[in-house]
Amino acid sequence: MSSQAGQFGAIGDGFSGQYGNPDIFGKLGSSGAISGAVSAMDQAGAREFEAAEKVLRKVEGALDAIQTNVANVEEVNKNSMRAV
């Protein structure tokens, strides 16, 4: 999970700060609106990938807790089977 979370985080980092200058669309009357839409999409993408990274980090923590609990239960069961 850790590597997957890191990959989503890296993708999201690639979105940040990539705001288009309205001039790249020429002198069109809607250049500012198009640029604003591209910037909004960029920000939304960054937020979504950040959220995905956080969820995967939580999954990683939950799986670690499960693994620890299973190991602890197995240890208790193993010790309870020993002859007295």
Side-chain angles (χ1 to χ4, degrees):
M1 284 293 120
S2 180
S3 65
Q4 294 299 315
Q7 289 176 0
F8 278 95
I11 292 169
D13 291 345
F15 277 88
S16 295
Q18 304 298 318
Y19 306 112
N21 183 335
D23 292 339
I24 66 172
F25 299 106
K27 301 294 181 193
L28 299 174
S30 298
S31 294
I34 292 172
S35 176
V38 169
S39 295
M41 184 186 72
D42 177 73
Q43 292 171 346
R47 284 192 305 271
E48 291 300 316
F49 280 108
E50 181 180 344
E53 179 182 16
K54 287 179 182 178
V55 168
L56 289 172
R57 297 273 182 219
K58 288 179 182 179
V59 169
E60 177 185 15
L63 289 174
D64 285 346
I66 290 168
Q67 183 178 11
T68 299
N69 288 338
V70 168
N72 290 342
V73 167
E74 287 179 349
E75 185 66 24
V76 169
N77 288 340
K78 179 184 81 172
N79 290 336
S80 71
M81 298 298 257
R82 291 188 180 161
V84 181

